[in-house]
Amino acid sequence: MLTLYITRHGETVWNAENRMQGRLDSSLTDKGKLHAQLLGRRLENTEFTAVITSPSGRTVQTAELIKGDRQIPIVKDSRLMEIHLGSWEGRTHEEIKEMNAYQFDCFWNKPNLYQNSEGESFQDVLDRVLAVLKDIEQTYSSGNVLIVTHAVVIKTMYMVMKQLPIEEFWSPPIIHGTSLTIVELNDGKKRFLLEADLSHVKQEAHL
């Protein structure tokens, strides 16, 4: 049986500024680094066969902080990169609304109607996610694999594994930075053990 531990990168400077990142990148904030370290502490007794990450700097740094000193191979896979957003990248939500209010509304509220001639559609991301999940299942037949990626990619994984229509793409849970989702894959069946959990962050807040 294969178990996937799926997490999003820690908070970045652009996250804090309410900017869309996509294929562009910004550094982890101190909070983002701390939360990644806390997740690493939470998972320190979990034996991972591999860590698979998007090649974006924010995800690679998060993966490194989670694995710490453990000698676990990190595999970078471009199919786990965030959705390509074209000229929206690096801009605040308010700036994007001024550029194209309709498509911005579609992105968040009508994902089946979202189009971006400069970037990707949700279907493009879906195609990538289907391919990478298939490869992971074929490469790692058992054990634990940590996947460090982005919000849209993780929501796409939810859509695939729960067989949701694209209209329900943004249905709960919200994928916060370093939130942990655990999924068991066994004979083609997928079972969620945990969804977007932030126990490691909440425990620290109460110390």
Side-chain angles (χ1 to χ4, degrees):
M1 182 172 60
L2 175 63
T3 304
L4 302 181
Y5 290 71
I6 304 167
T7 190
R8 181 188 178 193
H9 60 81
E11 181 191 73
T12 68
V13 172
W14 282 3
N15 287 151
E17 294 174 352
N18 218 26
R19 295 181 186 274
M20 301 281 269
Q21 293 182 114
R23 296 298 176 87
L24 296 184
D25 212 8
S26 66
S27 302
L28 296 185
T29 62
D30 288 342
K31 182 169 80 171
K33 294 174 186 175
L34 173 61
H35 289 178
Q37 291 168 338
L38 292 173
L39 180 56
R41 192 181 306 166
R42 177 180 181 178
L43 298 174
E44 63 185 354
N45 295 319
T46 302
E47 293 187 13
F48 289 107
T49 304
V51 178
I52 307 175
T53 178
S54 155
S56 296
R58 59 192 185 272
T59 47
V60 173
Q61 186 178 11
T62 300
E64 292 282 3
L65 289 168
I66 293 170
K67 91 176 183 70
D69 296 330
R70 291 185 285 177
Q71 299 301 307
I72 311 168
I74 289 184
V75 180
K76 298 174 186 176
D77 195 316
S78 61
R79 293 172 296 182
L80 291 173
M81 291 188 75
E82 184 58 292
I83 185 171
H84 182 26
L85 294 169
S87 60
W88 288 14
E89 296 181 351
R91 298 181 186 272
T92 65
H93 287 203
E94 289 304 315
E95 289 171 338
I96 297 168
K97 285 180 189 177
E98 291 178 6
M99 293 168 62
N100 194 328
Y102 174 70
Q103 284 301 331
F104 186 77
D105 179 65
C106 287
F107 182 90
W108 293 110
N109 300 307
K110 307 182 196 72
N112 55 308
L113 300 179
Y114 170 70
Q115 295 179 341
N116 188 333
S117 60
E118 301 172 326
E120 290 182 298
S121 66
F122 287 107
Q123 182 63 49
D124 293 327
V125 182
L126 175 60
D127 293 341
R128 290 197 273 119
V129 166
L130 286 169
V132 75
L133 286 176
K134 180 180 179 181
D135 285 353
I136 289 171
E137 288 187 66
Q138 291 177 342
T139 304
Y140 308 97
S141 57
S142 62
N144 302 313
V145 172
L146 176 65
I147 298 174
V148 186
T149 182
H150 307 268
V152 170
V153 174
I154 295 174
K155 292 303 288 186
T156 304
M157 289 180 176
Y158 270 72
M159 189 172 71
V160 170
M161 294 176 181
K162 293 188 172 187
Q163 299 181 320
L164 298 173
I166 193 168
E167 288 84 355
E168 296 180 32
F169 187 87
W170 292 114
S171 61
I174 297 172
I175 307 299
H176 293 289
T178 76
S179 64
L180 181 62
T181 293
I182 304 177
V183 186
E184 283 184 350
L185 280 59
N186 191 13
D187 292 330
K189 297 179 181 178
K190 301 172 177 63
R191 184 164 75 100
F192 282 77
L193 305 182
L194 202 62
E195 296 188 24
D197 186 78
L198 283 171
S199 298
H200 51 288
V201 174
K202 293 174 183 176
Q203 287 174 1
E204 179 72 11
H206 289 100
L207 294 179

